[in-house]
Amino acid sequence: MISIDKEERPWGRFFILHDEPSYKLKRIEVDPGQRLSYQYHFGRSELWLIIQGSAKITIDGVEKTYNVGESITIPVKSKHRVENHSNQKLVFIEVQHGEYFDENDIVRLKDNYGRID
């Protein structure tokens, strides 16, 4: 049996599907009406593919809505956030690529849940 790590967050949850030295794969679920922190990373870029729902994504202050089948790349050090304004769960696959994938590489600039560093 394959072991998949799951972590609950105030906005939903994520599942680590695969973890290698040069990349990591996650399934991220954002509950209705929730959003992740406005953040950036020093050690990785990210590619997001929407597989369920609709996402309002902000990158460096520019907002755009993405739907099922659409993807977006977030370069290293780009400020970004994903929001779920719908009444259904938002699900996307995140591919992290770079040199460092630990959760402590998150620099939070704005956060609804009091997690500013």
Side-chain angles (χ1 to χ4, degrees):
M1 177 184 283
I2 296 173
S3 174
I4 297 177
D5 291 330
K6 175 183 176 183
E7 288 195 30
E8 292 291 329
R9 293 287 191 247
W11 43 261
R13 69 218 43 82
F14 68 81
F15 304 82
I16 299 173
L17 305 176
H18 200 77
D19 194 354
E20 292 287 333
S22 62
Y23 70 95
K24 182 185 274 190
L25 298 176
K26 287 183 175 178
R27 174 189 164 105
I28 299 177
E29 300 179 353
V30 183
D31 293 333
Q34 301 300 312
R35 65 184 182 174
L36 281 67
S37 59
Y38 191 52
Q39 60 184 265
Y40 66 94
H41 312 283
F42 286 106
R44 68 180 186 247
S45 63
E46 297 174 343
L47 173 97
W48 294 347
L49 173 64
I50 309 302
I51 60 171
Q52 180 182 317
S54 177
K56 181 173 125 180
I57 298 174
T58 305
I59 298 182
D60 292 325
V62 178
E63 297 177 354
K64 184 178 174 188
T65 299
Y66 292 82
N67 297 299
V68 172
E70 295 183 305
S71 62
I72 179 116
T73 299
I74 298 106
V76 175
K77 299 181 185 173
S78 288
K79 298 172 186 89
H80 59 281
R81 166 181 267 170
V82 61
E83 303 180 49
N84 181 359
H85 289 288
S86 76
N87 59 5
Q88 69 170 325
K89 181 169 45 180
L90 163 65
V91 181
F92 61 97
I93 300 299
E94 177 179 272
V95 180
Q96 300 176 1
H97 183 263
E99 300 173 357
Y100 190 69
F101 308 111
D102 196 270
E103 291 300 299
N104 65 11
D105 184 37
I106 299 172
V107 179
R108 290 185 176 93
L109 304 170
K110 296 179 184 176
D111 186 68
N112 287 35
Y113 315 103
R115 301 174 300 162
I116 300 291
D117 301 324

